[in-house]
Amino acid sequence: MQTKVDELLHKPLVVINLGLKRFAESLEEQKVEVVQVDWVPPAGGDKAMAELLDQLL
Amino acid sequence: MASGFVIRKNQYYDSVFLMKISKRISDAKGVQQNAVLMGSDTNKGLLSNIGIRDTQIDAAQPNDLIVAVIADTPQIVNDVLNKLDEYLLGGVQSVSASNLHSFEDGLAQKPDANLVVISVPGEYAAREAHKALESGLNVFLFSDNVSIDDELDLKRFAVEKNLLVMGPDCGTSLIGGVGIGFANVVRKGSIGVIGASGTGLQEFTSQAHNAGFGISHAIGTGSHDLSDKIGGLTTLAALDVLEADPQTKVITLISKLPGAKTLAKLSERLKTCKQPVVGCFLGIQGEIEAGTSFQRARLIDDAVRLSITQIADKPVFWQDQFTPQELEWMSPEIGSWSSQQKYIRGLFAGGTFCYQSQQIFRDADIPAYSNAPLDVKYRLADPDHSIEHTVVDMGDDHYTLGKPHPMIDGSMRKQRILAEGRDPQVAILLLDFILGYNASMDPVGELLEGVIEAKQAARKRGGALTVVASICGTDDDPQDLSLQTRMLQEGGVIVFHSNAKAAHFCCALIKRRLGGCHADQS
């Protein structure tokens, strides 16, 4: 069975880009399938709340 | 001097966008300093350092935008802050907004994804990378400021899940011909590369391409991977996958100085590698015992030569000596220096180029001070103040905290070029220019005016400033390598397509000036 690492090297890349949009743009230029996520800090930036949510999910 | 600030609640922007706005505000007349930041604790500390303190700032959250301005008059401060929407709108125009805001949103959109590229602020990056691994996805982690403990946890988890974590602090990878992060456009081929240094990886892959060869995969590991704390977890995982890859005929490792225990462990692993291995571990002085299929390269250029020799079907011609024309350039340069001029000043965008140059200078008995020294006794007390021979890594945190990296924006490096040009003891400026995806579209254009001005200043003093540059790039890069090269040459700059060769050239000039050995490369 092909592992996820093998897939990475031998199948076309399919990318989730979290953050800087220019990275997604350069992948698009290379005809890579990519989805851009305009990431924002979780729980409105409240780290304690984010940790609590992580534990709940 | 006057100052002021505004806080916009729940307005989150990425760091490149914020730097763009900051640059635009800094161009406004009368503005002395500005900060355009999200309200994280680190950023609030930066504001405090420049004298911007307030209880409202203390209360700001990481997704609140803070814009602070220090200017000549209160009127200028008010004008800039009142026009903030115009500045923000100007920045937004080029960025089409996504309605996806979390990893989970992205995964829902692309459930067949096999890689997550992460460039969120360091304090959140480990959390996002962990989620990606948990979902069975490989990770390219560009973010830096991830703690070494978090890095170790992530990499152990990746090993357990049989996944790759490239990073944190990973600038470059090439997977099946696709450049991720800062990468040059190179052809596909049979050299597999593992790199703990981003610009080292770029220099290697560009030179291999320019020599007519290609890359199967180039896997960035992040700059701390070969430290003893991390133990080379990504390097070893990358070795396994490249060893099993039928396209990869030779494996090349590029890194700065590894930890002693990790190097020993890696050497043992290399002894059983099926493919021949070339290793370039910059900064190491001793021997490396890693079996009969291992070849040691002292410099990145040597690594390219040894690697392509392994796969070439005919003898490889490799020009590692100076050409007759390059030798001819030397005497006129040295002859035009004043008696005061004797020092080299290297100003680098690429950390590996700063490091490799120091190794070359050390081998030539030309010790150089640095903010990122090879030998701690040559650490600069003040990174902004050069002493004797000095090389500066301008991508260091000292210069990039809240400011664009010199590979993206040359403004800071231009100011330093002008400062070095005012020093009558400086004979040579050594620079690097890095092309490829995500780098500045005109790195030479950003600095050239500064170079010409520095040269003019030296001439006015009765001397001449020699400027030596290397360009890391290929003909297929978006910036137009031949145009960038020509612009430098027309500006009176001596250009090489190798940092090592440029650094050797500087050594040869200094040695000749001292009446020492001839201009041969070591």
Side-chain angles (χ1 to χ4, degrees):
Chain A
M1 199 187 95
Q2 220 174 26
T3 66
K4 282 278 184 181
V5 178
D6 294 329
E7 259 187 58
L8 179 74
L9 264 51
H10 300 116
K11 284 193 169 177
L13 286 181
V14 180
V15 178
I16 298 170
N17 185 56
L18 241 58
L20 301 179
K21 190 172 170 63
R22 62 195 299 162
F23 286 170
E25 288 166 347
S26 68
L27 289 166
E28 272 169 0
E29 272 175 50
Q30 298 173 81
K31 315 280 182 232
V32 172
E33 200 180 324
V34 55
V35 62
Q36 168 61 20
V37 174
D38 286 350
W39 183 90
V40 293
D46 183 335
K47 280 186 187 164
M49 182 62 79
E51 276 171 28
L52 196 64
L53 284 172
D54 282 348
Q55 283 166 16
L56 289 172
L57 293 173
Chain B
M1 204 70 79
S3 67
F5 67 89
V6 292
I7 297 174
R8 294 279 178 90
K9 299 294 285 179
N10 294 314
Q11 252 180 270
Y12 186 84
Y13 299 101
D14 73 45
S15 56
V16 169
F17 178 84
L18 297 174
M19 285 164 193
K20 235 186 255 179
I21 304 304
S22 173
K23 176 92 178 22
R24 217 163 278 166
I25 291 176
S26 69
D27 290 340
K29 205 173 168 204
V31 171
Q32 297 303 327
Q33 207 168 356
N34 78 90
V36 183
L37 306 162
M38 301 313 302
S40 68
D41 290 343
T42 313
N43 290 341
K44 286 190 267 189
L46 286 175
L47 287 171
S48 174
N49 290 345
I50 60 168
I52 307 284
R53 299 180 195 100
D54 193 275
T55 50
Q56 286 183 64
I57 290 176
D58 294 341
Q61 293 295 309
N63 58 350
D64 298 338
L65 172 72
I66 308 174
V67 179
V69 177
I70 301 173
D72 293 342
T73 65
Q75 186 61 44
I76 295 170
V77 172
N78 287 338
D79 287 350
V80 169
L81 293 178
N82 287 337
K83 276 198 267 177
L84 184 57
D85 280 330
E86 282 176 41
Y87 286 113
L88 291 171
L89 210 61
V92 167
Q93 275 169 349
S94 62
V95 182
S96 61
S98 159
N99 57 1
L100 310 176
H101 300 297
S102 68
F103 167 71
E104 290 79 5
D105 291 346
L107 187 61
Q109 189 86 6
K110 288 272 180 238
D112 58 339
N114 47 23
L115 179 68
V116 183
V117 174
I118 300 174
S119 54
V120 305
E123 56 198 304
Y124 297 101
R127 176 184 186 270
E128 301 301 323
H130 198 274
K131 285 196 285 185
L133 292 170
E134 211 156 51
S135 303
L137 296 174
N138 299 287
V139 172
F140 177 95
L141 187 46
F142 177 79
S143 313
D144 60 359
N145 298 318
V146 173
S147 76
I148 198 89
D149 289 334
D150 280 345
E151 178 172 350
L152 186 60
D153 284 347
L154 284 173
K155 289 185 169 177
R156 281 180 174 160
F157 189 43
V159 169
E160 202 180 292
K161 304 271 287 182
N162 201 13
L163 292 164
L164 266 186
V165 174
M166 296 173 267
D169 194 25
C170 183
T172 306
S173 280
L174 279 158
I175 303 295
V178 172
I180 303 165
F182 292 84
N184 299 92
V185 183
V186 303
R187 76 176 65 74
K188 283 170 85 169
S190 56
I191 308 174
V193 196
I194 302 169
S197 73
T199 40
L201 220 149
Q202 286 193 261
E203 177 86 331
F204 179 91
T205 54
S206 294
Q207 285 197 26
H209 172 95
N210 293 339
F213 295 82
I215 305 299
S216 57
H217 307 282
I219 299 172
T221 65
S223 55
H224 312 294
D225 192 65
L226 290 177
S227 67
D228 284 337
K229 176 86 182 183
I230 303 297
L233 288 174
T234 297
T235 301
L236 293 166
L239 254 176
D240 290 345
V241 293
L242 289 180
E243 190 177 31
D245 174 35
Q247 298 300 318
T248 301
K249 306 297 181 204
V250 57
I251 298 173
T252 306
L253 296 159
I254 311 268
S255 94
K256 296 180 194 168
L257 195 64
K261 283 184 198 162
T262 305
L263 181 61
K265 183 166 74 171
L266 182 60
S267 300
E268 278 309 304
R269 170 65 182 86
L270 295 179
K271 286 177 183 170
T272 62
C273 188
K274 288 178 199 152
Q275 291 99 324
V277 178
V278 175
C280 176
F281 302 101
L282 294 169
I284 284 194
Q285 287 181 297
E287 292 304 310
I288 300 170
E289 285 299 324
T292 50
S293 64
F294 176 81
Q295 286 183 289
R296 160 117 183 254
R298 289 192 55 77
L299 301 168
I300 297 168
D301 294 25
D302 300 332
V304 178
R305 177 177 54 80
L306 292 170
S307 302
I308 64 178
T309 302
Q310 290 285 347
I311 52 170
D313 49 14
K314 55 185 179 190
V316 170
F317 171 74
W318 188 259
Q319 180 76 47
D320 60 356
Q321 299 292 311
F322 293 121
T323 63
Q325 189 193 16
E326 287 161 357
L327 289 168
E328 272 177 29
W329 293 337
M330 291 185 181
S331 294
E333 292 294 331
I334 299 163
S336 58
W337 295 345
S338 71
S339 57
Q340 272 186 295
Q341 290 184 275
K342 53 187 171 182
Y343 294 129
I344 305 169
R345 299 285 158 83
L347 304 175
F348 295 99
T352 307
F353 296 144
C354 181
Y355 205 76
Q356 180 172 252
S357 298
Q358 286 180 71
Q359 180 181 309
I360 290 166
F361 293 169
R362 180 184 69 188
D363 292 350
D365 292 323
I366 300 174
Y369 288 88
S370 180
N371 60 334
L374 201 56
D375 180 340
V376 286
K377 75 177 175 190
Y378 291 110
R379 179 175 291 283
L380 280 175
D382 176 0
D384 295 327
H385 191 80
S386 300
I387 312 166
E388 299 174 4
H389 300 297
T390 287
V391 291
V392 184
D393 174 5
M394 298 211 61
D396 184 75
D397 284 352
H398 175 76
Y399 296 102
T400 55
L401 217 55
K403 303 250 171 55
H405 192 281
M407 278 171 68
I408 297 173
D409 184 307
S411 313
M412 270 185 309
R413 202 152 62 125
K414 184 178 170 187
Q415 291 310 312
R416 185 64 176 258
I417 287 170
L418 292 170
E420 300 296 353
R422 287 191 285 272
D423 184 339
Q425 292 192 305
V426 176
I428 308 170
L429 264 185
L430 173 60
L431 304 172
D432 62 344
F433 293 91
I434 303 166
L435 313 187
Y437 290 120
N438 295 305
S440 161
M441 281 307 289
D442 184 15
V444 171
E446 287 177 353
L447 298 194
L448 197 55
E449 201 181 288
V451 167
I452 291 168
E453 206 176 315
K455 275 177 160 286
Q456 283 168 347
R459 267 198 296 275
K460 275 187 193 159
R461 291 193 297 266
L465 180 67
T466 298
V467 184
V468 180
S470 65
I471 300 189
C472 170
T474 75
D475 276 333
D476 295 329
D477 281 331
Q479 289 88 353
D480 193 342
L481 173 62
S482 57
L483 175 65
Q484 294 284 308
T485 306
R486 207 168 54 243
M487 284 165 67
L488 282 171
Q489 288 167 336
E490 285 170 2
V493 177
I494 295 169
V495 185
F496 295 93
H497 290 96
S498 145
N499 157 257
K501 213 161 180 190
H504 275 301
F505 191 82
C506 296
C507 291
L509 290 177
I510 293 294
K511 292 275 182 186
R512 277 200 173 190
R513 164 78 151 76
L514 296 171
C517 52
H518 288 286
D520 297 320
Q521 282 177 246
S522 54

